[in-house]
């Protein structure tokens, strides 16, 4: 059975592909595809995954740092949302998003997940995977269709 790490890693890859596409075509539509994939990912981690890690005091610093990175990604994303795709700093802002996301993904995959694997059982990691998938599904159903 899939664990939460399998699912999050697969989504990291999808987000990265979508960002590459957005950098290639520079369209707002492509940015919205990035956002539609990124928003539930960040929220799902914050609701279902990070809180379990925060219970372990030895991981609190790592998790606090991950929250800060989420906030940075959300703030760049909301700037992009209010920008015109044709504006002069669009390209550099998308690049900023790419760098911020890549950095965070690397930290999760090389630091957060290995530490999480030490404190969460395999059973738990599968259980959160199911909760995450349910959350992700309901999140998508609640979203208004993208412009
Ligand atoms: Fe992630
Ligand atoms: Fe994250």
């Amino acid at each position: 059975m899939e664990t939460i790490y399998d699912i999050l890693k697969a989504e990291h890859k999808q987000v990265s592909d979508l960002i590459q596409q957005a950098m290639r075509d520079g369209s707002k539509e492509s940015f919205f595809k990035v956002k539609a994939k990124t928003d539930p990912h960040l929220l799902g981690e914050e609701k279902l995954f990070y809180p379990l890690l925060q219970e372990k005091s030895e991981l609190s610093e790592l998790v606090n740092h991950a929250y800060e990175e989420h906030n940075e990604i959300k703030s760049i994303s909301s700037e992009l949302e209010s920008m015109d795709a044709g504006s002069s700093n669009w390209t550099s802002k998308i690049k900023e998003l790419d760098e911020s996301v890549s950095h965070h993904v690397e930290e999760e995959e090389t630091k957060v997940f290995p530490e999480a694997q030490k404190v969460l059982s395999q059973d738990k990691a599968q259980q959160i995977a199911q909760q995450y998938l349910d959350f992700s599904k309901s999140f998508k159903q609640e979203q208004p269709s993208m412009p």
Side-chain angles (χ1 to χ4, degrees):
M1 222 185 117
E2 273 185 321
T3 63
I4 186 66
Y5 316 111
D6 300 324
I7 293 168
L8 296 176
K9 281 182 191 170
E11 289 192 355
H12 288 165
K13 176 81 180 74
Q14 291 166 356
V15 167
S16 155
D17 288 348
L18 289 168
I19 294 179
Q20 298 315 308
Q21 177 60 36
M23 292 206 291
R24 271 196 301 274
D25 70 24
S27 73
K28 192 126 186 192
E29 194 193 344
S30 292
F31 162 70
F32 276 123
K33 286 186 186 160
V34 173
K35 186 172 154 56
K37 195 84 210 170
T38 310
D39 286 355
H41 182 93
L42 298 176
L43 202 58
E45 286 181 343
E46 290 175 10
K47 272 176 81 90
L48 302 164
F49 180 48
Y50 290 177
L52 291 172
L53 306 182
Q54 254 173 335
E55 287 169 15
K56 318 283 171 185
S57 57
E58 70 270 29
L59 297 188
S60 68
E61 210 174 308
L62 198 60
V63 178
N64 287 342
H65 183 68
Y67 273 111
E68 282 170 22
E69 293 185 349
H70 276 205
N71 289 338
E72 183 181 290
I73 293 167
K74 288 180 203 169
S75 120
I76 299 169
S77 178
S78 80
E79 282 182 73
L80 280 160
E81 200 176 357
S82 63
M83 277 166 74
D84 234 338
S87 65
S88 57
N89 46 352
W90 177 264
T91 310
S92 59
K93 203 42 96 178
I94 285 273
K95 203 156 175 289
E96 211 181 299
L97 181 68
D98 179 44
E99 280 161 10
S100 185
V101 169
S102 303
H103 171 80
H104 178 62
V105 162
E106 172 155 357
E107 291 222 334
E108 283 192 334
E109 295 189 1
T110 65
K111 294 182 190 165
V112 180
F113 296 174
E115 288 302 317
Q117 276 166 314
K118 289 184 200 164
V119 297
L120 301 177
S121 67
Q122 181 77 359
D123 262 10
K124 192 75 189 168
Q126 292 175 346
Q127 202 184 316
I128 317 165
Q130 194 50 55
Q131 292 170 359
Y132 182 90
L133 291 174
D134 292 343
F135 166 78
S136 200
K137 207 164 147 193
S138 66
F139 183 93
K140 272 167 207 147
Q141 282 162 356
E142 282 165 21
Q143 294 309 296
S145 57
M146 289 291 172

